[in-house]
Amino acid sequence: MSSASPDRSTPASAYGSAADQPAPVKPAATVMLLRDTDGGLEVFMLRRTSNAAFAAGMYVFPGGRVDDADFAVTADADEAHQLAAVRECFEEAGVLLAVDNAGGVVTDGHPVFSRRHDVHDGTVAVLDLLAEHGLRPALDELVFMSHWVTPKGETSRRFDTRFFAVGSPAGQTSQHDDTETVASMWVRPTDAVASFERGELQLMPPTITNLRFLAPHASVAAAMEASRAVGRPPCILPKLRMVNGSIAGISLPGDADYDGLD
C-alpha cells in the first residue's frame, strides 16, 4: 500500500511569499496522535499562534525541529527524528510517549508531567528527565508514514518533515502549550477534512493529505496497520507556480507541469 496522494486544493498562500534565495532546510518531526472513541477514530490537532513565523493560525499536528541535542545522542537519523517527535509531543500536546522498565505506559499524575515546561524552555533535556524517573521513550510505537519538504520558494522557514502515527497513551490528558499553540482539539479526520473543504479550517497541504489518509480508517489499529503498510514513504517536494514574481499555485509530483518547474 502506498502513502496517500498529495492534496492539491490548499491555497498557494499557505506557503507565504516567494524568495529569490530559498531558506535553508531544517529537519523536523510531526506526530499524529490517534485515539478510539464511540464516534470513531480521532486525531489530536493544535492551532498555531497568529504570530508564528511558519503556518501562522493554522491547525497542525504536534511537532517541530529536530535539535542538535537529538542528533547528539544517536548516530541514527531515524532515531533522532523519533526522539524529536517524543519531545515535541510532550512540549506541545502534554502527551509523553514513554514507558517504564516493565513496559507500562505513563499516565496522568506521574511526577514527570510537572516538568513539561522545563523541557519546553530547555531547562532539562527530555532524555535526562526520563532517565531520572526510570522511563524510556517509546520509539518503537512511532510509525514513519509520510515525508514532506517545504517548497524552495518559501521565504521564512523550510522543513524536511517526517510524519509519525502513534496511538495516544491511555490515561493521559492532552493540552496545547498556550505559547506556540493557542487552541487544540480531538477531531475525526473526516470532520477535519469537511471543515477544510468548507473553508472553516486552515490546513497546510501535508496536514490535509495525511488527514485524508486517516479518514477511511475506523480505529487506531486500522490506521496504524495502514501506516505500517506504507513502508519507507517517498519524499514529497511541492513546487511553486510563479507568475510575475508572485505565487500562482502549487504543483505536486504527478502534476503535468511538475518536472518543468524549478
Side-chain angles (χ1 to χ4, degrees), residues 21 27 55 83 94 107 118 167 173 216 218 226 231 255:
Q21 297 297 323
L83 290 171
T107 58
D118 292 336
T173 304
D255 287 345

Side-chain angles (χ1 to χ4, degrees), residues 57 140 150 160 194 204 209 242:
D140 292 343
T150 314
D160 182 332
M204 295 288 284
T209 297
M242 307 299 297

Side-chain angles (χ1 to χ4, degrees), residues 27 43 103 117 143 154 168 197 206 219 222 245:
V43 62
H117 294 292
V143 177
E154 169 62 39
S168 187
E197 291 174 343
S219 67

Side-chain angles (χ1 to χ4, degrees), residues 204-226:
M204 295 288 284
T207 309
I208 184 62
T209 297
N210 285 312
L211 284 169
R212 285 183 169 140
F213 175 87
L214 294 173
H217 305 295
S219 67
V220 172
M224 293 302 296
E225 181 180 2

Side-chain angles (χ1 to χ4, degrees), residues 1-67:
M1 180 175 180
S2 63
S3 58
S5 298
D7 180 76
R8 290 163 171 75
S9 58
T10 302
S13 58
Y15 282 113
S17 55
D20 293 333
Q21 297 297 323
V25 179
K26 299 175 182 177
T30 293
V31 184
M32 295 187 295
L33 287 171
L34 308 175
R35 74 177 185 184
D36 289 318
T37 72
D38 292 340
L41 175 71
E42 291 184 341
V43 62
F44 186 70
M45 302 192 74
L46 304 157
R47 184 164 67 84
R48 291 178 58 79
T49 173
S50 59
N51 297 323
F54 187 82
M58 294 194 173
Y59 269 90
V60 297
F61 307 119
R65 285 185 55 187
V66 183
D67 291 341

Side-chain angles (χ1 to χ4, degrees), residues 45 187-197 201 203 208 211:
M45 302 192 74
V187 61
R188 292 191 305 172
T190 50
D191 292 340
V193 170
S195 293
F196 167 77
E197 291 174 343
L201 205 62
L203 301 172
I208 184 62
L211 284 169

